[in-house]
Amino acid sequence: MYQEEYRRWLSADLEDADLKPELARIEGNDSEIRERFAVSLKFGTAGLRGVLGAGTNRMNIYVVRQATQGLANWVKTQGGTQTVAISYDSRLKSDIFAKTAAGVLAANGISVRIYDALMPVPALSFATRYYKCNAGIMVTASHNPAQYNGYKAYGPDGCQMTDDAAAIVYDEIQKIDVLNGAHFISFAEGVENGRIRFVGDDCKDAFYEAIEARQVRPGLCRTAGLKLVYSPLNGSGLVPVTRVLNDIGITDITIVPEQEYPNGYFTTCSYPNPEIYAALELGLKLAEASGADLMLATDPDADRVGIAMKCPDGSYELVSGNEMGVLLLDYICAGRIEKGTMPADPVAVKSIVSTPLADAVAAHYGVELRSVLTGFKWIGDQIAGLEAAGEEDRFIFGFEESYGYLAGPYVRDKDAVIASMLICEMAAYYRSTGSSIKQRLEEIYAQYGRYLNKVDSYEFPGLTGMDKMSGIMQSLRDHAPTEFAGQKIVSVTDYKDTEATGLPSANVLIYALESGASVVIRPSGTEPKIKTYFTTLGKDLAEAQAQKDALTEAIRPLLA
């Protein structure tokens, strides 16, 4: 079957000149052909994501057309404005895929609002809401290596598409021939006939105004003298992040020159993920050379941000996603109470795999902290519930341990632009009081206990990877462990049991241990990985780390 499909592609008159040589090169190589044609890229709630190249299991203009036709079929049943917003980042072919999607939508009589240059995830979410669109498309593969691209599909609320809607789109995609089943006109024709229009300056300005309205201490940064090193990691963050920082008065910004401008090859960091040290290395060297107060980096689609903070001895220390989530929650709560801008009955939201230290901080400030499934759409879902009750202003902050943050209900996905603004404002504030982010973090640990949160990943590549992951998760359920590293398991929460959790079903297991530590095991939703999340609590960092190391050794054989 896959050989037949390969031969059909090989003999077709393909519009993308890059695909023919690849198809010719793999002729006679069964494993390479099977890898590209035995399956199709699955359209899930995160949309599409895959390696660039030829075939049904690769990202190319034909797979994009097929997926977008499926999306168009769904949009046509939805009434409303019959409009879809589109944005894209710096990845290879992102602009081509964005314009391809626009051409399919326009051919289906659907109006398109597309950004005239690369813009990040939160800008797409904002435009979807601003233009009251039926859907949004963000062409990106987030922080994956350079050979990947994809697209995220959004619903009318600017949140990633619901499971139900994605399932309908996927069913529609199945009916469409990948090579010639999609309706399509050129981007130029769509612009000429008025179906495709660019996002206006009014929308862009409203996006920046919505972010800047969420300052905790307006005006503070103009006099604080904060010195910043910033890297957009060759992605879409440069324009929006520097615009907002300049607007609030942070002007001493040194951009990492090798990572300043869009470059989908990511030649300076093979894995442009602000969670990992290698992506921040050039920025750290520049920070050390310039004595910057802070170094931050946003990922290619600028929905996540990682930072390094300056310590009292002049060295720089990376801040984890959990630590920054807690620091921002603490700063927003304290600052808004001080300024009298805290809403009544404030709500913050975090994912179930994020640190319980946030629960303690929220309780201290009288904030309701809700825990939701992993994936920022579930945080967006909580905002939507508040909005439906006319109470969206109760939402003050949401975060995930994977470096995603949002303050305010103006978009429904994580936003590295507002996170960068608030992190810089927080650093400026502590600097102005003779303190620092590092000092405040140590005070938080002294007040609530020394929490340590670490994540380990186990990779399962290839066509059999998903089956292996499924088997491991099933084995953990069928042969439930009773202890890890000599620590008794006092409770297990299986998130497939919706009655027990009150949340939608998810393939997640959480083990609570007698020491107060916890272990979360879940397959990644976007990569062939099983992730283990450890929370340990000790009298100091060394004790918490020793607990974590023992747990890692105990769990590794179960996931091998």
Side-chain angles (χ1 to χ4, degrees), residues 296-311:
L296 59 86
T298 53
D299 65 343
D301 59 348
D303 61 355
R304 302 185 316 135
V305 58
I307 81 149
M309 58 185 173
K310 191 177 187 182
C311 299

Side-chain angles (χ1 to χ4, degrees), residues 345-368:
D345 305 316
V347 173
V349 190
K350 71 173 180 67
S351 64
I352 55 175
V353 298
S354 300
T355 180
L357 176 53
D359 297 79
V361 171
H364 173 77
Y365 290 108
V367 171
E368 179 192 348

Side-chain angles (χ1 to χ4, degrees), residues 471-487:
I472 287 168
M473 295 303 291
Q474 192 56 49
S475 178
L476 287 168
R477 291 182 168 94
D478 294 342
H479 310 286
T482 56
E483 56 87 29
F484 292 142
Q487 283 200 51

Side-chain angles (χ1 to χ4, degrees), residues 16 54 62 93 166 176 230 239 306-307 347-349 362 373 393 404 428 440 445:
D16 185 340
Y62 299 102
K93 305 207 172 186
I176 297 157
Y230 168 56
V239 170
I307 81 149
V347 173
V349 190
L373 297 178
D393 287 339
R440 182 58 195 151
Y445 282 137

Side-chain angles (χ1 to χ4, degrees), residues 249-554:
I250 294 173
T251 53
D252 191 348
I253 306 172
T254 303
I255 311 290
V256 178
E258 303 93 330
Q259 297 173 339
E260 182 168 4
Y261 296 113
N263 173 5
Y265 292 98
F266 305 115
T267 43
T268 60
C269 55
S270 59
Y271 199 55
N273 181 353
E275 291 181 71
I276 62 172
Y277 176 79
L280 276 63
E281 204 165 1
L282 285 172
L284 280 166
K285 286 178 181 166
L286 202 52
E288 285 162 3
S290 64
D293 298 294
L294 189 64
M295 183 263 150
L296 59 86
T298 53
D299 65 343
D301 59 348
D303 61 355
R304 302 185 316 135
V305 58
I307 81 149
M309 58 185 173
K310 191 177 187 182
C311 299
D313 64 1
S315 66
Y316 290 83
E317 186 179 311
L318 299 188
V319 182
S320 75
N322 274 314
E323 288 173 329
M324 183 48 68
V326 166
L327 280 161
L328 284 171
L329 177 64
D330 173 72
Y331 176 73
I332 290 166
C333 290
R336 291 190 69 169
I337 289 168
E338 176 198 315
K339 293 289 183 186
T341 57
M342 183 69 100
D345 305 316
V347 173
V349 190
K350 71 173 180 67
S351 64
I352 55 175
V353 298
S354 300
T355 180
L357 176 53
D359 297 79
V361 171
H364 173 77
Y365 290 108
V367 171
E368 179 192 348
L369 185 69
R370 301 177 182 178
S371 290
V372 295
L373 297 178
T374 308
F376 221 87
K377 67 175 182 176
W378 299 113
I379 295 175
D381 188 54
Q382 290 294 317
I383 305 171
L386 291 168
E387 185 178 46
E391 299 175 346
E392 65 266 31
D393 287 339
R394 287 176 59 199
F395 172 76
I396 59 165
F397 185 60
F399 83 98
E400 290 188 315
E401 52 73 41
S402 53
Y403 293 59
Y405 317 100
L406 176 64
Y410 60 98
V411 295
R412 296 297 152 83
D413 210 337
K414 45 197 180 283
D415 181 3
V417 185
I418 197 168
S420 297
M421 179 188 82
L422 289 171
I423 290 165
C424 289
E425 187 195 300
M426 176 171 67
Y429 171 71
Y430 292 137
R431 190 177 188 276
S432 72
T433 63
S435 181
S436 65
I437 292 178
K438 170 69 172 173
Q439 192 172 325
R440 182 58 195 151
L441 183 60
E442 293 305 324
E443 288 166 4
I444 288 169
Y445 282 137
Q447 184 173 350
Y448 301 102
R450 188 55 174 92
Y451 285 77
L452 178 70
N453 303 96
K454 293 282 184 179
V455 184
D456 292 344
S457 292
Y458 298 84
E459 295 199 18
F460 299 87
L463 291 174
T464 60
M466 301 307 278
D467 290 336
K468 286 180 186 167
M469 288 161 56
S470 179
I472 287 168
M473 295 303 291
Q474 192 56 49
S475 178
L476 287 168
R477 291 182 168 94
D478 294 342
H479 310 286
T482 56
E483 56 87 29
F484 292 142
Q487 283 200 51
K488 188 179 169 193
I489 295 169
V490 293
S491 71
V492 183
T493 306
D494 186 345
Y495 280 81
K496 278 200 166 178
D497 183 351
T498 57
E499 281 188 28
T501 64
L503 296 172
S505 177
N507 194 8
V508 180
L509 292 164
I510 297 187
Y511 301 90
L513 309 181
E514 57 188 340
S515 66
S518 67
V519 179
V520 182
I521 302 178
R522 66 174 278 268
S524 167
T526 55
E527 299 168 283
K529 292 178 179 178
I530 290 180
K531 293 186 172 184
T532 52
Y533 303 77
F534 299 92
T535 297
T536 51
L537 182 58
K539 64 179 183 294
D540 55 28
L541 179 59
E543 185 180 48
Q545 184 67 51
Q547 282 185 48
K548 187 269 169 186
D549 292 342
L551 289 169
T552 294
E553 288 308 310

